[in-house]
Amino acid sequence: MTQAEIKDKVYDIIVSKMGVNKDQIKTESKFSDDLGADSLDTVELIMELESEFDVQIPDEDAEKIGTVQQAIDYIVSKK
Amino acid sequence: MAQERKRIVITGIGVLTPIGLTKEDFWDSLFNGKSGAAPITYFDTTNFATTFACELKGFSADSYIDRKTADRMDPYCQYAVIAADQALIDSGLDLKEIDPLRIGVVHGSGIGGMTTYEQQFKTFLERGPRRISPFFIPMLIPDIAAGQISIRHGLMGPNYATSSACATSLHAIMDAYMLIQAGMADYMVCGGSEAPITQMSVGGFNSARALSTANDRPQQASRPYDRDRDGFVMGEGGGSLILESLESAKARGAKIYAEIVGVGATADAYHLTAPHPEGLGAVNAMKTALKIAGIAPENIDYINTHGTATPLGDLAEISAIKTLFGEHAYKLNISSTKSMTGHLLGAAGVVESIACLLAMQHQTVPPTINLDNLDPQVDLDVTPNTPKKRNIEYALNNGFGFGGHNGSIIFRNGASL
């Protein structure tokens, strides 16, 4: 999977779970401040990433994923 | 004793039912004797003893609630939130003018998020515990509707759910009434909702032998008081009322649907699911409500019965009415609007209370439909098949739940206040 494909998929997950439009998402967007995620939204987002990309994201790693770019980078590093 | 109590009135109505998603459409269907039953579309009914129910028709949560918020609510919670929205708008209350601590919510559900439970349990079985949604618990619990309504409108007064099976929302109304009388709030949003048309719930009620299995004629299946009744037809939806003191309603020039003049709550203390054969708990609930109202049984014009169309339940309630009302039982109009809406379980009490309010407003008793052959043991006027013009000053609503919970509320027509 290329980095562009990963980015596309991450954006799709955010759109489906966060109730935002694709054009509202930027790579530097913070899940909490910019995309309106609360603590439960964030847990769900991490679970969706795990499920979609078939990876395990331990809690200590999940805590470091605060922006869209960090999510993409994390998935790329595991693939 | 009644003069010392604060008088409580209803100034807002919100309702979502299988026969109407607004109070206007709901009344129109009640008046026209429309059935909400049809084959179930929510799941594959192969191997189910019952294959039909009263689903909400033409309903989409997205037209009321933004998608992300709606996705984090079980359907039962969506129904509650939408009914409460309607009721608040209908009341004309300006929430910006009210101290948020003085307005609360009591909104119940008999079951809670059954759809959510089934979906998440399936996920757990197929994919393991780590795939259970973080929203599972807050979507499942039957009190979350009250919480969601408070968050949506910033209502910081008393906030909780009642749960007493099919008497749930009657008890919610009673609690709201008592909270205002006790001085804990000035305004209350109260009611209940239910979304029970799921595989486990239909299967479970089938196993309890509670549901009609007239699969070849869904629209004729809910037939309270008819000789050929064979159980209730499941329905879904929600209802919500705005309560405040008579003084407050008059001061702000609000439209007053009715005064809640009496409430009664008792237990059968008899059996898990079967009613007391002579309706003893029901007699006691109605008697308490009359006593609190300070009126004689002869004052009641209309009773919207629990009347689910189970063979035992219908007769027990009729027996209770005859015991309490004596000769006047034969002068009353009685009807079971469940013949049209189906049985909305935890939402039944509030939806049928709304039927009483609309009946008073229109001075018309809604019918009991599907009465082809009246059960010979039922010799009261159950308003068969067509609505009846009648001046209704006092209406009584009954609701009884598994567990032997009974509730009765008496409303006085708001037009005379």
Side-chain angles (χ1 to χ4, degrees):
Chain A
M1 196 181 284
T2 68
Q3 191 158 343
E5 285 167 342
I6 289 173
K7 182 178 163 182
D8 260 0
K9 266 195 169 183
V10 169
Y11 273 41
D12 287 345
I13 291 170
I14 295 169
V15 168
S16 81
K17 292 295 163 191
M18 302 298 301
V20 294
N21 296 320
K22 212 163 189 165
D23 54 19
Q24 291 172 259
I25 308 169
K26 299 188 180 68
T27 49
E28 66 270 25
S29 300
K30 287 185 180 155
F31 292 117
S32 56
D33 299 344
D34 302 322
L35 299 171
D38 63 19
S39 56
L40 294 181
D41 292 328
T42 311
V43 175
E44 191 181 44
L45 207 63
I46 294 295
M47 283 173 57
E48 281 297 311
L49 293 173
E50 289 184 323
S51 170
E52 191 63 41
F53 295 103
D54 195 22
V55 294
Q56 289 277 352
I57 308 178
D59 285 353
E60 54 270 31
D61 288 359
E63 281 164 22
K64 293 176 200 141
I65 301 175
T67 67
V68 175
Q69 188 61 53
Q70 284 165 350
I72 296 166
D73 291 345
Y74 186 85
I75 301 299
V76 169
S77 76
K78 296 284 171 186
K79 286 281 152 183
Chain B
M1 61 201 242
Q3 60 269 30
E4 288 174 27
R5 273 191 211 105
K6 210 177 279 179
R7 296 175 65 180
I8 310 299
V9 297
I10 298 165
T11 55
I13 290 177
V15 71
L16 280 183
T17 76
I19 58 169
L21 303 177
T22 62
K23 68 178 193 300
E24 290 79 13
D25 287 351
F26 177 47
W27 176 254
D28 198 51
S29 294
L30 289 176
F31 185 80
N32 290 303
K34 195 176 146 190
S35 165
I40 289 171
T41 64
Y42 295 165
F43 60 89
D44 177 2
T45 56
T46 308
N47 296 327
F48 280 79
T50 297
T51 61
F52 64 99
C54 296
E55 297 176 347
L56 294 189
K57 282 155 205 73
F59 171 80
S60 162
D62 293 355
S63 32
Y64 304 88
I65 310 170
D66 77 84
R67 203 198 70 213
K68 182 185 166 193
T69 309
D71 281 352
R72 279 137 173 69
M73 292 178 185
D74 185 88
Y76 103 84
C77 183
Q78 295 172 353
Y79 303 163
V81 164
I82 294 161
D85 278 2
Q86 287 181 1
L88 281 164
I89 290 168
D90 187 46
S91 74
L93 274 181
D94 183 356
L95 294 177
K96 291 188 294 295
E97 298 295 314
I98 298 172
D99 177 355
L101 283 169
R102 301 298 300 167
I103 174 164
V105 185
V106 182
H107 236 268
S109 170
I111 302 177
M114 187 68 111
T115 305
T116 299
Y117 190 87
E118 287 182 19
Q119 287 169 349
Q120 290 296 311
F121 190 59
K122 185 164 178 278
T123 300
F124 161 71
L125 290 176
E126 289 171 354
R127 302 172 65 199
R130 290 176 52 86
R131 298 262 77 88
I132 298 169
S133 165
F135 292 98
F136 169 51
I137 299 297
M139 286 171 72
L140 167 76
I141 52 183
D143 55 283
I144 208 72
Q148 289 278 19
I149 294 165
S150 75
I151 293 164
R152 193 168 169 85
H153 299 287
L155 316 180
M156 299 170 82
N159 191 285
Y160 57 90
T162 53
S163 191
S164 48
C166 308
T168 291
S169 51
L170 278 184
H171 288 135
I173 300 168
M174 287 183 207
D175 273 20
Y177 158 93
M178 292 188 289
L179 286 165
I180 299 176
Q181 283 192 336
M184 287 181 67
D186 295 326
Y187 307 91
M188 289 297 299
V189 181
C190 59
S193 62
E194 205 80 76
I197 306 174
T198 75
Q199 298 176 79
M200 286 303 290
S201 164
V202 171
F205 277 106
N206 265 152
S207 295
R209 303 290 185 272
L211 292 181
S212 168
T213 54
N215 297 323
D216 55 335
R217 49 182 179 101
Q219 302 232 321
Q220 285 78 48
S222 185
R223 39 197 319 115
Y225 312 119
D226 188 87
R227 192 184 62 194
D228 300 318
R229 67 188 183 279
D230 72 332
F232 77 79
V233 175
M234 194 178 278
E236 63 168 348
S240 209
L241 298 173
I242 306 302
L243 268 51
E244 63 190 286
S245 68
L246 176 63
E247 206 180 356
S248 143
K250 288 215 158 167
R252 67 185 188 90
K255 158 183 74 246
I256 298 173
Y257 288 99
E259 177 180 0
I260 297 178
V261 291
V263 301
T266 63
D268 274 4
Y270 172 74
H271 186 269
L272 283 183
T273 57
H276 185 279
E278 285 96 47
L280 182 61
V283 171
N284 290 333
M286 289 188 280
K287 202 186 266 178
T288 306
L290 283 166
K291 190 177 166 206
I292 289 178
I295 60 172
E298 290 70 31
N299 289 110
I300 302 292
D301 301 297
Y302 170 51
I303 301 179
N304 187 305
T305 56
H306 190 57
T308 60
T310 58
L312 290 176
D314 283 12
L315 292 181
E317 187 177 14
I318 290 291
S319 164
I321 291 169
K322 291 208 282 199
T323 303
L324 184 61
F325 289 87
E327 273 306 301
H328 185 65
Y330 296 88
K331 297 175 190 147
L332 290 163
N333 269 96
I334 290 167
S335 67
S336 168
T337 45
K338 287 188 180 78
S339 57
M340 295 172 270
T341 59
H343 187 359
L344 276 66
L345 307 181
V350 64
V351 164
E352 287 153 23
S353 291
I354 291 168
C356 288
L357 305 181
L358 298 173
M360 288 193 287
Q361 192 178 45
H362 292 91
Q363 295 293 297
T364 303
V365 177
T368 305
I369 67 164
N370 293 323
L371 260 169
D372 297 327
N373 298 292
L374 188 65
D375 183 328
Q377 291 174 266
V378 178
D379 55 353
L380 304 181
D381 184 357
V382 292
T383 324
N385 303 318
T386 47
K388 189 169 160 188
K389 271 281 171 200
R390 176 165 183 157
N391 185 47
I392 307 169
E393 182 61 18
Y394 290 98
L396 186 154
N397 183 211
N398 280 335
F400 315 128
F402 277 7
H405 321 291
N406 306 299
S408 298
I409 302 187
I410 300 172
F411 304 100
R412 182 181 180 192
N413 196 332
S416 46
L417 296 173

